[in-house]
Amino acid sequence: MSAVDPVKLMKQQVGKAAADRVQSGSIVGLGTGSTTAFAIQFLGDRIKSGALTDIKGIPTSFQASVLAKQYGIPLTTLDEVDRIHIGIDGADEVDPQKNLIKGGGAAHTREKVVDSLAEQFIVVVDQSKIVDKLGSTFPVPVEVLPMAIAPVVKALEKLGGKPELRMGIKKDGPVITDQGNMVLDVTFSDIPNPPELEKTINNIPGVLENGIFVGMTDIVLIGEIKDGNPTVREM
């Protein structure tokens, strides 16, 4: 294997392209995931070099909060600001209408709150995340109150979904979100109407939020490998 991983380089390039769009004086929504982590790193680099000043971040997860502190990005909360200028986040799937499935990192509830408030929401992905239809490659994550798992599973099955409780890796038992809830990964054979499914799932008692993000994305930056070199294009 070569010393430089082209996929990692590609993710770095996309993260940098998003970080470069942030202007001084901005409140920035800081997303979760491997590509967004590079964006947070590059924001920190710009602050350190003096190219970026008076920035505050609103993290969408414990991971984003830890990274922001590591890279010297001051943090704030939704209680303390009245707007978010720009949000940067990843996605597990992006369709041609820029609708998303998110939640591979089990942070989609906080991500949806922060990303929906951003005046400009930038999604950073690699080419593997682009799909013709949502649900093609990735299940819909649904955050559920622990006491409601059984009835929510039945309700999702009635909608035609196949729910599976997400289990921890290097941890016995289920994944627990930053809010103390559980995640069901729900596979649908077809999602003809993402806005309708998003609302229907969220109306099930016991569901906190699901990973379908509709009509929120402004810009999608896509990392690709062309002739062995990483490039970034805008959708």
Side-chain angles (χ1 to χ4, degrees):
M1 185 176 164
S2 63
V4 182
D5 178 2
V7 174
K8 183 179 175 184
L9 269 179
M10 176 181 67
K11 289 185 175 190
Q12 285 177 329
Q13 295 277 0
V14 182
K16 185 176 187 306
D20 285 345
R21 292 180 182 234
V22 176
Q23 298 177 352
S24 292
S26 297
I27 305 293
V28 188
L30 303 173
T32 304
S34 58
T35 307
T36 318
F38 287 120
I40 293 173
Q41 180 184 339
F42 285 116
L43 280 174
D45 290 346
R46 290 187 67 201
I47 291 169
K48 206 178 288 178
S49 72
L52 204 54
T53 56
D54 191 25
I55 287 290
K56 284 189 177 166
I58 296 188
T60 56
S61 64
F62 182 67
Q63 182 217 29
S65 176
V66 168
L67 285 172
K69 288 171 184 169
Q70 184 181 332
Y71 292 116
I73 302 170
L75 296 179
T76 186
T77 67
L78 293 174
D79 292 335
E80 293 164 345
V81 300
D82 58 1
R83 61 198 291 208
I84 297 173
H85 298 93
I86 186 167
I88 301 171
D89 211 342
D92 300 299
E93 285 189 346
V94 183
D95 77 4
Q97 288 73 47
K98 299 181 182 174
N99 296 320
L100 317 173
I101 287 182
K102 290 176 54 49
H108 55 281
T109 298
R110 290 192 189 189
E111 288 171 339
K112 196 176 278 190
V113 172
V114 171
D115 298 343
S116 68
L117 294 169
E119 291 168 8
Q120 184 182 62
F121 176 37
I122 299 176
V123 172
V124 289
V125 289
D126 62 69
Q127 58 202 7
S128 70
K129 307 296 173 65
I130 306 300
V131 295
D132 292 329
K133 287 186 79 171
L134 289 190
S136 305
T137 62
F138 208 84
V140 178
V142 180
E143 182 165 352
V144 183
L145 297 171
M147 65 165 287
I149 284 288
V152 169
V153 163
K154 286 177 189 160
L156 288 166
E157 286 173 344
K158 276 188 185 168
L159 291 175
K162 293 180 180 171
E164 269 188 45
L165 186 62
R166 189 182 299 182
M167 303 305 283
I169 296 170
K170 297 185 179 177
K171 168 195 175 293
D172 292 330
V175 166
I176 303 298
T177 69
D178 287 355
Q179 290 75 245
N181 298 312
M182 295 178 180
V183 177
L184 291 169
D185 288 314
V186 191
T187 303
F188 290 92
S189 59
D190 189 31
I191 302 178
N193 189 335
E196 190 63 33
L197 186 61
E198 180 191 22
K199 285 181 193 164
T200 303
I201 292 175
N202 276 359
N203 278 334
I204 299 170
V207 169
L208 187 60
E209 188 55 83
N210 72 81
I212 300 174
F213 284 49
V214 171
M216 284 169 47
T217 308
D218 297 302
I219 293 169
V220 181
L221 297 178
I222 305 164
E224 297 178 322
I225 304 287
K226 286 195 173 172
D227 303 323
N229 297 314
T231 62
V232 178
R233 70 176 170 94
E234 189 173 326
M235 185 188 233

